[in-house]
Amino acid sequence: MYKVFLACLPVAVAFALPALIAAQTATPAPADWSGLRDVHLDIVPRTEEEAARIAAVTALTDDFSAAQPFEQNSGGAATVRARNNADAFSQPSANLSFEEELDFRVGNGLFRRLWVSPPASTIASDGLGPLYNARSCQRCHLKDGRGHPPEGPQDSAVSMFLRISIPGGSPMDEIAGYIATQADPNYGTQLQDFSLPGHAAEYSLGIAYEETLVELSGGETARLRAPVYTAEDLGYGPLHPEAMLSPRVAPQMIGLGLLEAIPVEDILAHADPEDADGNGISGRPQVVWSLVHDQPMLGRFGHKAGNPTVLEQSAGAFAGDIGISSPLHPNGWGECTPAQTNCRQALDGADPEQDGVEIDRVGLDLVTFYSQNLAVPARRDVDDPEVLRGKEVFNTSGCVACHVPSYVTHRLQGDTAQSFQLIWPYTDLLLHDMGEGLADNRPEGRADGREWRTAPLWGIGMTETVSGHTYFLHDGRARNLLEAILWHGGEAQSARDQVVEMPPEDRAALIRFLESL
């Protein structure tokens, strides 16, 4: 249905593109972005006529009297109806074939699998640890939704951990702008707070908050909580004196395959690292090394876009979060460092029947397929007058300069669920300076200590339904959508200040719009 709509759309259709991002969409890619290849190998090139139709349908609107065509279907033909329960993010793409849905179900089983310590009665489930953050993917991404910081001393930090690195290491000459870092000699690149018997856990997470009052227009106020993170109860000696820690909460899982299918050139079209158009927005592409394709590629996944593909994101999580080896990360000890000798010498779950690793390529591909095809729920109340007013506030306040509303994915041979879909993720997948308040002061790839990838907003209004909370941002410090907005700084400072100063009814409409996504 959506493919028919795009194919029949007249070239002359004109949704006015505000000057806000007009220059961004015409920005040529500088030399250090050249050669960035797309994730997919089976792309059908666009014709000039098709590109013109796509540009028209994805241009920003200046008509807020009604919803745009197909706007309620955030994931195109893959969209599913919005369920009013915790399973809303756990549905397969609506356009999967019967056979593909079976693969999705098997992948779901592997995603939910509780791994156990080796040796075990079955080779299919052993290999956990020795150090880990969770026993399954589902334990962090509960119901495929967002994680959260611990809520009091009795709550586990199972869906949150600290990344760690130190300055230095070998620069990656193949990637322009790469900021060299290296693993902490005792603790590696990720701190694990669980361990198998006979092994010490690396740490326990400590968080202290300090609240500040923010005055808003109309006599309204909000309170922001600024966190301080500490690595306590260290199991393997002190951290390196230059150790840089960065908190990470597990993100929601929906729509990942669609984000992977957005053409590289469509993402780079919004990049403006020197702010050539003078609008204060300087989005930069993250470029990272792909283990699968053995070359630099555009980073898309993770809070700092540190992975180029869903496959690599999945394999990295198996190794770092659960201690499970795969063809991409074949070490049976997971994240254990050379200094953790007992950990490296422990029995692992690798088996010749699984190609000498704990999850083989077949299993990894099934988990990846599951992750790529978690469907985006349909939007709610797209024609509600307050939602439409909130959409206008979102656009005119400049939020769309980073949270780009829509794209059309690649046309792919084989007609996969992600092929040629009009989608509404509300992200540019680029790195932006978010100000000192959100800075973790830890570089990753080309991202410096103040930069974060623009988070997709689709599904954000269903967070409480799925996850039972409303914690947002990379570390869950924001307790609601308004707090998340008020933490924006750096390139987003102007948009944030407009939200503070706008009439209260416009601010309420903006939140109502976000809740409809």
Side-chain angles (χ1 to χ4, degrees):
M1 168 171 158
Y2 308 101
K3 294 178 185 178
V4 172
F5 164 65
L6 285 166
C8 297
L9 188 71
V11 176
V13 169
F15 294 105
L17 182 62
L20 176 67
I21 67 164
Q24 280 185 304
T25 58
T27 303
D32 63 311
W33 304 347
S34 62
L36 289 182
R37 53 148 294 163
D38 271 294
V39 174
H40 296 278
L41 300 174
D42 52 353
I43 297 166
V44 179
R46 291 175 177 172
T47 65
E48 290 186 11
E49 181 181 4
E50 189 170 77
R53 290 198 299 270
I54 290 170
V57 77
T58 57
L60 295 180
T61 183
D62 61 358
D63 179 2
F64 302 99
S65 62
Q68 292 171 254
F70 303 101
E71 186 179 3
Q72 72 274 19
N73 296 298
S74 298
T79 307
V80 295
R81 67 176 177 86
R83 289 162 170 78
N84 295 318
N85 57 46
D87 292 326
F89 285 177
S90 299
Q91 306 306 310
S93 299
N95 54 352
L96 290 182
S97 67
F98 178 76
E99 292 78 9
E100 288 171 330
E101 190 166 339
L102 291 178
D103 287 342
F104 178 90
R105 301 297 178 189
V106 176
N108 184 20
L110 291 170
F111 193 84
R112 296 165 60 91
R113 170 178 290 170
L114 290 175
W115 294 84
V116 298
S117 59
S121 59
T122 172
I123 64 171
S125 299
D126 68 341
L128 177 68
L131 305 176
Y132 59 97
N133 296 106
R135 288 183 58 197
S136 73
C137 308
Q138 185 78 201
R139 287 288 179 92
C140 289
H141 303 277
L142 185 62
K143 304 302 292 184
D144 307 296
R146 297 173 186 268
H148 62 85
E151 298 174 298
Q154 304 305 315
D155 189 19
S156 168
V158 71
S159 59
M160 183 178 190
F161 64 82
L162 294 176
R163 291 213 180 277
I164 181 172
S165 56
I166 64 175
S170 301
M172 195 167 292
D173 296 332
E174 296 89 346
I175 299 178
Y178 178 86
I179 304 171
T181 61
Q182 55 187 328
D184 182 281
N186 285 344
Y187 292 94
T189 61
Q190 176 174 327
L191 290 170
Q192 285 90 16
D193 51 353
F194 292 102
S195 62
L196 297 180
H199 300 272
E202 289 189 321
Y203 86 122
S204 60
L205 176 63
I207 311 177
Y209 292 105
E210 180 179 347
E211 289 203 355
T212 58
L213 183 70
V214 178
E215 296 184 354
L216 309 173
S217 63
E220 297 181 347
T221 60
R223 301 191 72 88
L224 301 184
R225 56 177 191 171
V228 176
Y229 299 98
T230 51
E232 303 173 354
D233 305 318
L234 293 169
Y236 297 89
L239 301 178
H240 189 278
E242 295 184 276
M244 301 174 287
L245 301 177
S246 181
R248 294 289 191 276
V249 163
Q252 64 185 30
M253 297 285 293
I254 57 173
L256 299 184
L258 293 167
L259 295 177
E260 194 172 48
I262 298 172
V264 165
E265 62 267 26
D266 291 358
I267 296 171
L268 297 182
H270 295 281
D272 185 15
E274 304 302 325
D275 192 19
D277 60 4
N279 71 345
I281 307 299
S282 305
R284 300 194 308 123
Q286 172 71 289
V287 181
V288 294
W289 190 264
S290 170
L291 295 175
V292 172
H293 299 286
D294 195 31
Q295 66 182 72
M297 291 182 66
L298 179 72
R300 301 177 189 238
F301 303 106
H303 291 294
K304 293 206 176 206
N307 271 304
T309 66
V310 178
L311 175 64
E312 288 167 86
Q313 181 76 6
S314 301
F318 267 117
D321 300 353
I322 315 178
I324 298 299
S325 60
S326 70
L328 271 66
H329 299 280
N331 293 324
W333 56 73
E335 249 265 305
C336 298
T337 67
Q340 297 167 333
T341 54
N342 289 339
C343 183
R344 288 209 168 192
Q345 293 170 2
L347 184 68
D348 62 47
D351 191 278
E353 293 183 33
Q354 299 183 133
D355 300 326
V357 290
E358 292 161 333
I359 185 169
D360 62 15
R361 184 58 188 261
V362 173
L364 184 58
D365 284 346
L366 285 165
V367 171
T368 299
F369 185 80
Y370 171 76
S371 302
Q372 290 168 327
N373 283 286
L374 284 162
V376 183
R379 278 192 54 197
R380 289 79 54 214
D381 305 321
V382 292
D383 288 316
D384 182 276
E386 187 177 26
V387 170
L388 291 169
R389 174 57 186 156
K391 177 183 175 182
E392 182 175 9
V393 171
F394 186 86
N395 282 37
T396 57
S397 297
C399 303
V400 289
C402 300
H403 291 283
V404 175
S406 62
Y407 299 86
V408 172
T409 61
H410 271 302
R411 190 191 293 277
L412 302 172
Q413 296 177 7
D415 200 30
T416 69
Q418 288 77 42
S419 178
F420 208 57
Q421 299 299 320
L422 171 61
I423 63 173
W424 304 77
Y426 285 89
T427 177
D428 60 7
L429 296 177
L430 298 173
L431 301 172
H432 293 275
D433 181 341
M434 295 301 294
E436 190 58 37
L438 287 179
D440 67 347
N441 299 310
R442 176 184 174 273
E444 182 177 334
R446 300 178 81 233
D448 66 28
R450 292 167 56 105
E451 290 180 308
W452 299 94
R453 182 204 65 163
T454 303
L457 298 182
W458 52 12
I460 197 169
M462 301 195 72
T463 299
E464 187 169 14
T465 298
V466 172
S467 303
H469 65 77
T470 56
Y471 296 130
F472 301 107
L473 300 178
H474 66 279
D475 58 358
R477 70 177 65 188
R479 293 163 290 190
N480 53 57
L481 290 169
L482 179 58
E483 287 186 22
I485 294 169
L486 295 177
W487 271 109
H488 283 51
E491 297 174 40
Q493 186 71 43
S494 174
R496 177 263 187 201
D497 291 347
Q498 289 184 62
V499 173
V500 169
E501 297 163 4
M502 67 180 51
E505 56 270 24
D506 283 354
R507 195 160 48 238
L510 173 62
I511 299 301
R512 183 81 174 82
F513 165 71
L514 293 173
E515 290 173 343
S516 79
L517 295 178

